[in-house]
Amino acid sequence: MAKEKSEPVEAQFTKDQFLGSSRYTMLQKDVLSGLLKDDKLYSLSDVDRQLQDFLNREVQA
């Protein structure tokens, strides 16, 4: 019987865990507090991608 290789599952964390983390600066945490939902879990790559997308957006006057 052949074993199927499964991709490793990325750990997921709550909004509060990200806001309490030392991984992000206070400015990044301020942005994340507005971007992330309280009742959802996020992986590090999801949060990093959302943060980069927000920071790379063009400012509309």
Side-chain angles (χ1 to χ4, degrees), residues 6 8-9 11 16 20 23-24 26 33-34 39 45-46 48 50 52 61:
S6 62
V9 177
D16 287 335
R23 177 182 175 98
Y24 300 103
M26 291 304 293
S33 71
D39 58 345
S45 61
D46 290 338
D48 287 343
Q50 285 189 39
Q52 282 301 336

Side-chain angles (χ1 to χ4, degrees), residues 33-49:
S33 71
L35 291 176
L36 304 180
K37 297 185 186 311
D38 291 331
D39 58 345
K40 190 172 176 191
L41 295 175
Y42 301 91
S43 67
L44 287 173
S45 61
D46 290 338
V47 171
D48 287 343
R49 183 175 53 254

Side-chain angles (χ1 to χ4, degrees), residues 1-8:
M1 209 185 278
K3 292 184 180 179
E4 292 184 34
K5 290 185 180 180
S6 62
E7 294 183 27

